[in-house]
Amino acid sequence: MTVYAIIGGTGLTELDGLTISAVLNLDTPYGAPSAPVLRGNYAGREVLFLARHGHPHRIAPHQVNYRANLWALKHAGAQAIVAVNAVGGIHPAMGTGHFCVPHQIIDYTSGREHTFFEGELEHVTHVDFSYPYDAALREQLTAALATGGCAFSGEGVYACTQGPRLETVAEIARLERDGCDIVGMTGMPEAVLARELELPYACLALVVNPAAGKSTGIITMAEIEQALAEGIDKVKAVLARVLAE
């Protein structure tokens, strides 16, 4: 039976209902992960959980040690990863509270440690990243969203920006011209590191605000926090349905 790992993003620093059997403080060749890897039972299945930003939420998107996080999950026994991400909505369909299971991603970040294949290598390694998200895992997520009656899009292009600041109106206009539907700060290099480790990986994105210029007002943290509070129970229910199936 597949051992799933859940990477919790903003608003999901702990997984209520997880019966913890082990707290794994793992050393990695890349430094310390954001938090201990929790092993336990959720929805009747063994699962691993890692808080991407630490617990409490304290690590900015550009400072997350993505390599340590992915290495730790792999060596804890993860066989597939569901990443939960809070995002801004660019496409008109991506309103606050909407879910998206992206099928593509564009990386706008810089300066992040983005590969395991560097240093003194015996040979250069390239991984195919044409389709960054695992198709079967995406289908599981969309089926769970449909069963739960959630408003969702089964496709979308995720724009990953550097952060920690939010984007300008002009930057969002550029991302829209590039074909992006949602925008976040943590989708990369997480996705490609999972690919390098041969771990199936998919993203469950919750829209928590309209992107810059997509509403009449400015974006506030109060708005984002309210959307997270209203949407996080749905996120947990979707994860439970995926694991139960």
Side-chain angles (χ1 to χ4, degrees):
M1 187 174 288
T2 302
V3 176
Y4 288 87
I6 298 168
I7 300 178
T10 301
L12 191 64
T13 56
E14 56 186 344
L15 189 60
D16 296 336
L18 175 67
T19 303
I20 299 172
S21 60
V23 177
L24 307 177
N25 291 288
L26 298 172
D27 293 324
T28 87
Y30 309 98
S34 299
V37 176
L38 304 180
R39 175 181 287 131
N41 185 283
Y42 188 73
R45 289 282 294 273
E46 180 185 5
V47 68
L48 301 168
F49 179 80
L50 176 64
R52 183 187 290 117
H53 298 279
H55 182 54
H57 185 287
R58 59 184 174 81
I59 305 172
H62 67 295
Q63 294 181 314
V64 171
N65 191 338
Y66 295 96
R67 292 196 298 182
N69 286 354
L70 272 293
W71 190 97
L73 289 173
K74 173 78 171 184
H75 285 265
Q79 296 172 314
I81 294 177
V82 175
V84 179
N85 300 75
V87 299
I90 299 175
H91 190 280
M94 307 293 172
T96 299
H98 194 83
F99 285 93
C100 181
V101 181
H103 69 296
Q104 282 292 332
I105 192 165
I106 302 178
D107 187 5
Y108 298 93
T109 66
S110 61
R112 300 185 182 190
E113 301 291 347
H114 64 279
T115 182
F116 293 110
F117 298 127
E118 62 181 10
E120 297 182 7
L121 302 174
E122 293 184 4
H123 56 83
V124 176
T125 302
H126 303 282
V127 296
D128 177 58
F129 203 52
S130 302
Y131 303 98
Y133 300 108
D134 183 75
L137 200 48
R138 287 183 56 246
E139 287 180 8
Q140 289 178 262
L141 285 169
T142 55
L145 286 161
T147 300
C150 299
F152 75 95
S153 297
E155 289 188 345
V157 179
Y158 182 133
C160 188
T161 58
Q162 179 71 353
R165 68 169 178 84
L166 300 178
E167 299 75 30
T168 68
V169 171
E171 287 169 335
I172 292 299
R174 173 202 174 191
L175 299 184
E176 188 170 30
R177 290 193 298 271
D178 286 351
C180 300
D181 301 299
I182 55 176
V183 57
M185 302 174 189
T186 54
M188 287 290 284
E190 198 172 86
V192 73
L193 292 171
R195 179 62 53 85
E196 289 185 351
L197 292 175
E198 299 182 342
L199 287 170
Y201 176 98
C203 166
L204 175 64
L206 171 65
V207 178
V208 296
N209 62 276
K214 296 301 179 180
S215 66
T216 56
I218 63 170
I219 301 168
T220 67
M221 289 310 299
E223 170 190 8
I224 292 173
E225 289 167 2
Q226 180 179 349
L228 283 168
E230 293 174 353
I232 207 66
D233 285 342
K234 293 180 180 178
V235 169
K236 294 172 184 176
V238 169
L239 295 174
R241 282 192 290 273
V242 169
L243 293 172
E245 292 171 1

